[in-house]
Amino acid sequence: MTNCSTSFASGARETQLAIEYANQVRRESPEIWVFWVNANKAARLETSLRDLANRAKIPRHQDCSANIFQLVRNWLQDGGIGKLVLILDNVDDDELLHKLLDASTQPPLRHLLGC
């Protein structure tokens, strides 16, 4: 299981705090991955996850029929990347994550990360 930290940012002040936190993590712990995902709308969330998958070269990331949420989740869970921070920016409605991930009773972020 990957060691993970999550942060939700919604609004200008929260986004600024998340930026400062991400910069601090990178300065103090360069071995920790920092991922920034824009989650203000369903399409934006999916695009951000596809960009993350593309940059990380996650297998099958170019397959349009692949469930990008499942691909990213599996990649994060495999433990091969080590410690990480995932910042979900502009999360105004966590139900968006719940609906997109088709989570039953699990909190959406736990469903995505499995942590």
Side-chain angles (χ1 to χ4, degrees), residues 8-69:
F8 290 94
S10 179
R13 180 69 183 136
E14 290 85 355
T15 296
Q16 184 58 42
L17 288 171
I19 290 169
E20 291 172 17
Y21 177 70
N23 287 332
Q24 178 182 348
V25 169
R26 294 302 300 150
R27 270 192 317 274
E28 295 176 5
S29 304
E31 74 283 1
I32 296 176
W33 290 70
V34 177
F35 299 108
W36 192 281
V37 175
N38 189 329
N40 70 333
K41 295 183 180 181
R44 196 66 58 94
L45 175 61
E46 183 172 349
T47 298
S48 288
L49 290 177
R50 288 200 181 279
D51 288 346
L52 185 158
N54 183 48
R55 289 174 190 245
K57 301 197 181 349
I58 296 173
R60 297 187 54 224
H61 73 275
Q62 293 177 327
D63 180 354
C64 293
S65 65
N67 181 330
I68 193 63
F69 303 100

Side-chain angles (χ1 to χ4, degrees), residues 1-6 32-33 35 76-86 113-115:
M1 179 67 62
T2 302
N3 293 318
C4 64
S5 172
T6 57
I32 296 176
W33 290 70
F35 299 108
L76 291 172
Q77 284 184 326
D78 78 6
I81 64 170
K83 294 181 180 181
L84 66 99
V85 173
L86 176 66
L113 294 176
C115 65

Side-chain angles (χ1 to χ4, degrees), residues 67-108:
N67 181 330
I68 193 63
F69 303 100
Q70 187 70 37
L71 288 177
V72 171
R73 178 184 149 195
N74 290 346
W75 182 73
L76 291 172
Q77 284 184 326
D78 78 6
I81 64 170
K83 294 181 180 181
L84 66 99
V85 173
L86 176 66
I87 297 171
L88 298 172
D89 193 19
N90 291 316
V91 179
D92 294 325
D93 181 7
D94 69 342
E95 286 301 310
L96 170 65
L97 296 176
H98 186 73
K99 290 175 188 173
L100 286 171
L101 297 171
D102 194 29
S104 54
T105 58
Q106 294 180 313

